[in-house]
Amino acid sequence: MDLFLQGSSLLFNIPNFLYMNLGLLLGVVFGAIPGLTVILCIVLFLPFTYSLGAIESFMFLLGIYCAGSYGGSISAILIKTPGTPHAAATMLDGYPLTKKGHSMKALHVALNSSTYGGIFSAVVLLFFAPQVAKFAQMMGTPEYFLICAFGLTIIAGVSGNNLIKGIITGAFGLFISTIGIDAMSGGTRFIFNNINLYSGIALVISLIGLFALSEVLAKSEKQEKKEKVNTDLLKKEDGKLTKEEKKIIKRPMILSGMIGVIIGIIPGTGASMASFFSYDRARRMSKTPEDFGNGSIEGISACETANNAVTGATLIPLLTMGIPGDGSVAIMLGALMINGLTPGPNLFVENGPIMYAIMIGLIFVNLFMFIQGKLLTKWFAKIISVPVALLTPIIVMFCFAGAFSVNASLFDIGVTLIFAVIAYIVNKFGFSTIPILLGLVLGALTEENFRRSLVLSDGSWSIFVSSPICIVFLLFIIITVFLIVKSQLKLNKKGEKSEQN
Amino acid sequence: MNRLMEKVDNLIDNSALKLEKHKMTIPINIVGSILFIIVSSILLYLVPSQIKINTEAVVNARTFPLLMLRIVLIFSIILLIKDIIFIITKREIETKELNLLVEVKFLIILSMLIIFLALLYFTNFILSSIVFGILMLFYFRSKKLSNYLIIILAAILIGYLFQNVLHVRLP
């Protein structure tokens, strides 16, 4: 209770709420515009958090993360183009409602459901995270190394369509994280006598290259033609839900909230899985399943509740053990580190009040998302049509200014360009860049715990099976690998069968 | 002026059509794995010269990067062998069609980014951004004057935001 009160007093400051609302605004805009992503938004604005405190930074980034989830539904509903991948399920019923002239109703259902999902998961986070953290505190260096390995295995397995490719890029990311001065011995590694590489490659610089500039380079491939939003339709209706409609969406909301939280806690699963799974469940339980796909408000409600319920749940493994559930959260992990907070089991012991402030703050993030959504939906709808020709150079300007701001060095901008080219090439060959990101974020932590463990055991690898927790995590890794390989084999077989047919 | 623009447009369209016809299908796992084998082998070769150690300890500064590079190398070889076996057993392998037009576009965008960086060495951020923004609008073949004005305004605003609000020194 003490920590709760201390956290509350840290949170209730005007700057925290200002940055929260700024993040929300940016998140909706980036989520709503097809071609822009939540990860891109977080990466672009990460340099802005340098001058902020830990709570302000996190409120700002959480605002982007949560609102991006809702923003994706706006374009899915209005122009049949999901702004984020997890809004794809929302499109199935959102766009048919727009065609029937009820776009405001669809947007309101999405907003209400997103808010409910977000608040539900924030409450679950508030009650569950401290309990998980207590368990996590029993871990030593070998256990913590295995947790990092577990997180990397999951992300490597689910980020692309091939586990081997994920392992290759994940290990490559871990290797890149070793460039610079070795914190344990003081020697240099792979700096090629370049003074700019002494302190290694800053996370933000690599992220801007991997996820922002690479998107610009990918514009050579994508030809996005956007539909225009019919704003007259938005003006005509108020979109208010009737009592009957509110009753109808209650059941899918409650169920999808729980589904979203359960799926969100499992690292690597993500919001897309939660929204499609919830959509399917809601259809099966509905009294009018025939409406699904033709503008069912139950369908929209199920997807939107689920994908926002994931947001708080993904923070449970992140804040308690340092395992990020997806790419966006992995970047937020980096933001924690920039603020001097080392992710892992000790985070709650060393920074309890800050953790509570963040968790309580998540509830307010969702409340303000609701208020902004209510007031600004019509304006948000208009920005979807902003042309790519205008957005692309503006993104690059932010990228270059952001990269330069880290060390006031033009060399860093060159490094971001190299990372962008790396991302373009590896994506071309079907490798995902998310494991590289995770390798970069978890690199220092993984190496430190790996080396400390081996020093403790005098070089013997048996230390990684020395405790029951180690064995449990090793089993988790083995089971995860088995499940991923099994599902990939199944997919391959399905593909071969459909080819034959 | 309009005629000249039309001529340029037609020239670009015709060249694009010609380039678009040049396509090539590549086995992505084979090419990708070979790429990582080359990169990891070079880096493994460079480890002794790039990571100097003065200790006999079993665990040292080389341990972790060496382990990671070996993982990259071993799994790349596994990926390569897997696809070679697939080819021998006549099973389907992952392929991707490369289009010359897309790659030329990629090179054009990359060149513009490099020009932007080069400009930063000689001029200030706002001026370089304006030049880059205008080049990008040319690339997207934007003919709206308002777009050019917006880009100039955006460059000035971003420069102002970083320098005066965030107090970040820009080039």
Side-chain angles (χ1 to χ4, degrees):
Chain A
M1 198 62 192
D2 240 19
L3 285 172
F4 185 88
L5 293 174
Q6 285 176 39
S8 302
S9 72
L10 280 178
L11 174 72
F12 289 106
N13 283 313
I14 292 171
N16 289 336
F17 286 89
L18 276 179
Y19 285 108
M20 181 192 292
N21 277 284
L22 187 64
L24 283 165
L25 201 66
L26 289 167
V28 178
V29 171
F30 273 70
I33 298 175
L36 300 187
T37 60
V38 178
I39 289 192
L40 173 69
C41 186
I42 295 178
V43 170
L44 280 186
F45 292 96
L46 199 55
F48 284 73
T49 62
Y50 282 175
S51 51
L52 306 179
I55 302 172
E56 288 166 347
S57 301
F58 230 72
M59 287 304 109
F60 178 66
L61 297 175
L62 276 179
I64 295 175
Y65 182 50
C66 294
S69 225
Y70 159 65
S73 68
I74 298 176
S75 51
I77 289 167
L78 296 177
I79 56 169
K80 208 187 172 185
T81 312
T84 50
H86 40 264
T90 311
M91 183 182 73
L92 299 175
D93 281 293
Y95 189 65
L97 258 186
T98 292
K99 276 175 102 180
K100 288 177 186 170
H102 299 303
S103 34
M104 274 311 279
K105 182 162 282 180
L107 288 169
H108 276 146
V109 173
L111 180 63
N112 293 350
S113 309
S114 297
T115 308
Y116 168 76
I119 291 177
F120 178 69
S121 74
V123 172
V124 172
L125 169 75
L126 192 59
F127 285 101
F128 264 87
Q131 313 309 322
V132 181
K134 273 181 201 161
F135 165 76
Q137 280 156 27
M138 293 189 286
M139 297 176 192
T141 48
E143 287 88 357
Y144 200 39
F145 165 72
L146 287 170
I147 290 179
C148 293
F150 175 56
L152 281 158
T153 312
I154 289 182
I155 297 291
V158 299
S159 300
N161 57 358
N162 191 318
L163 177 67
I164 298 174
K165 285 180 170 179
I167 292 173
I168 293 170
T169 45
F172 192 63
L174 285 169
F175 166 75
I176 295 171
S177 75
T178 65
I179 293 171
I181 291 181
D182 172 31
M184 288 175 90
S185 69
T188 56
R189 298 191 285 194
F190 280 91
I191 63 161
F192 298 97
N193 289 329
N194 188 327
I195 198 163
N196 294 296
L197 287 172
Y198 261 73
S199 52
I201 295 167
L203 186 64
V204 177
I205 291 166
S206 50
L207 292 184
I208 289 174
L210 286 174
F211 296 99
L213 279 183
S214 65
E215 283 291 318
V216 173
L217 290 175
K219 291 276 177 280
S220 59
E221 214 156 353
K222 293 172 193 164
Q223 292 291 337
E224 284 148 4
K225 282 195 176 166
K226 290 179 191 169
E227 253 183 69
K228 283 226 165 182
V229 180
N230 187 350
T231 43
D232 291 340
L233 270 179
L234 292 172
K235 282 175 198 162
K236 273 180 194 166
E237 55 153 346
D238 64 0
K240 275 187 182 162
L241 297 173
T242 62
K243 261 191 181 175
E244 188 59 32
E245 285 169 331
K246 280 180 186 166
K247 208 176 153 189
I248 289 173
I249 61 169
K250 220 177 193 175
R251 217 158 74 132
M253 266 166 79
I254 293 169
L255 182 74
S256 306
M258 287 193 273
I259 292 173
V261 164
I262 292 166
I263 291 181
I265 291 175
I266 307 165
T269 45
S272 300
M273 188 194 277
S275 55
F276 276 105
F277 189 71
S278 300
Y279 183 82
D280 186 51
R281 280 281 111 194
R283 187 166 52 87
R284 283 166 198 255
M285 288 176 69
S286 172
K287 285 176 187 163
T288 53
E290 66 280 1
D291 284 352
F292 278 68
N294 298 311
S296 159
I297 54 169
E298 284 179 273
I300 300 171
S301 176
C303 309
E304 284 304 305
T305 308
N307 66 39
N308 271 65
V310 166
T311 53
T314 46
L315 294 182
I316 296 176
L318 179 92
L319 297 180
T320 55
M321 290 185 277
I323 302 176
D326 61 35
S328 309
V329 180
I331 299 170
M332 284 200 258
L333 186 67
L336 275 179
M337 289 157 83
I338 289 167
N339 278 292
L341 307 176
T342 311
N346 286 330
L347 198 59
F348 268 79
V349 180
E350 289 161 7
N351 303 287
I354 295 179
M355 288 302 104
Y356 269 88
I358 289 170
M359 292 189 295
I360 301 163
L362 187 61
I363 297 174
F364 286 92
V365 165
N366 285 286
L367 284 175
F368 279 102
M369 180 181 81
F370 181 76
I371 295 167
Q372 282 200 15
K374 280 277 176 208
L375 297 173
L376 304 171
T377 297
K378 284 181 185 173
W379 183 78
F380 289 146
K382 283 180 188 166
I383 50 156
I384 295 173
S385 316
V386 175
V388 178
L390 271 180
L391 288 173
T392 311
I394 294 173
I395 289 171
V396 176
M397 288 173 205
F398 267 107
C399 288
F400 275 38
F404 184 84
S405 70
V406 179
N407 296 314
S409 157
L410 287 175
F411 175 83
D412 287 343
I413 300 179
V415 175
T416 57
L417 273 181
I418 293 170
F419 271 98
V421 175
I422 291 174
Y424 181 82
I425 294 171
V426 297
N427 282 331
K428 195 120 253 184
F429 295 126
F431 290 82
S432 167
T433 43
I434 300 283
I436 301 184
L437 156 71
L438 208 67
L440 288 166
V441 172
L442 290 180
L445 225 56
T446 311
E447 183 183 9
E448 189 192 327
N449 286 290
F450 172 75
R451 279 168 69 179
R452 278 190 202 282
S453 304
L454 286 183
V455 168
L456 279 174
S457 67
D458 215 10
S460 166
W461 285 64
S462 63
I463 193 166
F464 297 117
V465 285
S466 61
S467 75
I469 300 176
C470 278
I471 294 168
V472 168
F473 273 101
L474 269 177
L475 282 174
F476 275 163
I477 294 172
I478 293 165
I479 292 166
T480 307
V481 170
F482 174 74
L483 289 175
I484 292 167
V485 172
K486 198 181 157 193
S487 72
Q488 283 174 0
L489 285 175
K490 211 174 171 184
L491 272 177
N492 286 348
K493 272 187 184 168
K494 250 188 190 176
E496 277 175 19
K497 267 188 185 172
S498 61
E499 286 270 323
Q500 283 167 4
N501 292 336
Chain B
M1 187 67 182
N2 276 349
R3 267 193 180 175
L4 180 74
M5 289 294 277
E6 252 177 50
K7 269 189 180 175
V8 173
D9 266 355
N10 285 336
L11 188 74
I12 295 171
D13 285 340
N14 290 335
S15 313
L17 272 174
K18 276 180 200 167
L19 286 173
E20 207 172 9
K21 283 175 192 160
H22 292 88
K23 286 173 185 169
M24 187 172 74
T25 305
I26 55 159
I28 51 170
N29 287 349
I30 292 178
V31 181
S33 58
I34 290 173
L35 197 76
F36 273 108
I37 288 170
I38 294 169
V39 171
S40 56
S41 302
I42 294 171
L43 291 171
L44 276 168
Y45 174 76
L46 289 173
V47 166
S49 62
Q50 287 301 316
I51 308 175
K52 297 261 175 7
I53 48 168
N54 309 312
T55 168
E56 292 293 307
V58 191
V59 187
N60 53 49
R62 277 184 196 166
T63 314
F64 194 71
L66 267 177
L67 178 67
M68 290 307 120
L69 288 174
R70 282 174 188 153
I71 289 175
V72 174
L73 182 65
I74 291 166
F75 279 90
S76 301
I77 293 170
I78 293 172
L79 188 64
L80 180 67
I81 293 172
K82 191 195 98 186
D83 265 39
I84 291 173
I85 292 171
F86 271 35
I87 291 173
I88 294 168
T89 53
K90 290 183 178 163
R91 285 166 72 183
E92 204 189 344
I93 57 162
E94 268 186 81
T95 56
K96 187 163 184 174
E97 194 174 69
L98 286 190
N99 188 322
L100 191 59
L101 176 66
V102 172
E103 301 318 316
V104 169
K105 279 180 171 178
F106 157 72
L107 288 174
I108 293 170
I109 298 176
L110 183 62
S111 311
M112 284 194 282
L113 291 172
I114 293 169
I115 290 170
F116 188 8
L117 175 59
L119 281 172
L120 288 172
Y121 279 96
F122 303 106
T123 62
N124 64 28
F125 177 79
I126 294 175
L127 194 65
S128 313
S129 298
I130 291 172
V131 175
F132 170 75
I134 291 171
L135 282 175
M136 278 306 264
L137 287 176
F138 277 142
Y139 169 83
F140 285 111
R141 294 157 81 178
S142 173
K143 284 167 190 159
K144 275 188 183 173
L145 184 67
S146 60
N147 281 355
Y148 289 86
L149 292 174
I150 290 170
I151 283 298
I152 293 169
L153 198 70
I156 296 168
L157 275 176
I158 293 169
Y160 181 83
L161 179 75
F162 271 86
Q163 280 173 320
N164 299 308
V165 181
L166 298 169
H167 304 290
V168 171
R169 200 166 55 87
L170 286 178

